[in-house]
Amino acid sequence: MLSYSSYLLTAVAALLATCHALPKCPGIPGLPDVPGQDGLKGQPHLPGLIEPSGSLMGSAGRDGLPGPQGLPDSLDTELHNVLVNLKHRLSRLEGVLALNGKIKEVGEKILASNGKKVDFASALESCEEAGGTLATPMNEEENKAVLSIVKQYNQYAYLGIKEGGTSGQFKYINGTPLNYTKWHQYEPNGKGTEKCVEMYTDGSWNDKKCNLYRLTICEF
Ligand code: MAN
Ligand code: CA
């Protein structure tokens, strides 16, 4: 919850910083007391929110503890309201997407597929272009969530796992060793000839060549 808040805070700061640098930028609608960056409302005080560096200036903490100087309590309250509003809006959007079967949420991860079957490199590329990476189940719950998408499309999917230099040594895309596996019986058996991993429609894993067409499932 705390990290989500700080993520949102960073997002708001980035938004305000970006808008601050633009000649014309719309305000955030829906909050009557929060001025837009276009200066339609409250032009005098919001620009002061962002330091030249682009970082948020400190304020008195909501817990009553004294915070760094610079941000008036009224603005601190406004910022808090913006965050509450954004969280509410995000959770509604997530609800719509989940309802329509467009995303699957598991823990902090969001899983989604574009429904396309491509080779491993193309699948990874499209996930990264979208700001994510290939789906990489790191526990049973995540594996089940990925499986639900595999079943939805009834297609095997590449996972964000590859074989390292030593055959039989499978790793996450970032090179760290696996902390969870769901190998099918007798897998992995490629002995260096099958460097990618696919998920079967029962959720188990098979090492497989990387140049086949498999469902793209990304995590964000
Ligand atoms: C094929 C490939 C292999 C897999 C075996 C299992 O040969 O898909 O990756 O291990 O089938 O029988
Ligand atoms: Ca295999």
Side-chain angles (χ1 to χ4, degrees), residues 75-102:
L75 206 49
D76 185 53
T77 304
E78 284 184 0
L79 194 51
H80 173 78
N81 288 341
V82 168
L83 291 178
V84 168
N85 183 267
L86 278 173
K87 280 188 193 179
H88 184 223
R89 202 165 184 92
L90 271 180
S91 76
R92 285 150 65 207
L93 283 172
E94 287 172 343
V96 170
L97 290 171
L99 179 70
N100 291 346
K102 302 290 185 192

Side-chain angles (χ1 to χ4, degrees), residues 168-190:
Q169 292 284 295
F170 285 84
K171 297 170 180 236
Y172 296 120
I173 296 292
N174 69 11
T176 59
L178 304 186
N179 60 12
Y180 164 85
T181 61
K182 189 77 174 182
W183 296 114
H184 194 267
Q185 199 174 23
Y186 309 125
E187 305 295 346
N189 63 355

Side-chain angles (χ1 to χ4, degrees), residues 138-157:
M138 297 182 75
N139 55 51
E140 195 66 26
E141 190 192 12
E142 291 184 7
N143 204 69
K144 283 186 175 142
V146 177
L147 173 60
S148 72
I149 301 177
V150 163
K151 281 182 165 166
Q152 182 180 352
Y153 289 90
N154 194 31
Q155 296 290 341
Y156 297 173

Side-chain angles (χ1 to χ4, degrees), residues 12 16-17 47 71 90 111 114 118 135-136 179 181 187 194:
V12 171
L16 295 176
L71 195 62
L90 271 180
L111 301 170
N114 58 8
V118 294
T136 308
N179 60 12
T181 61
E187 305 295 346
E194 299 183 310

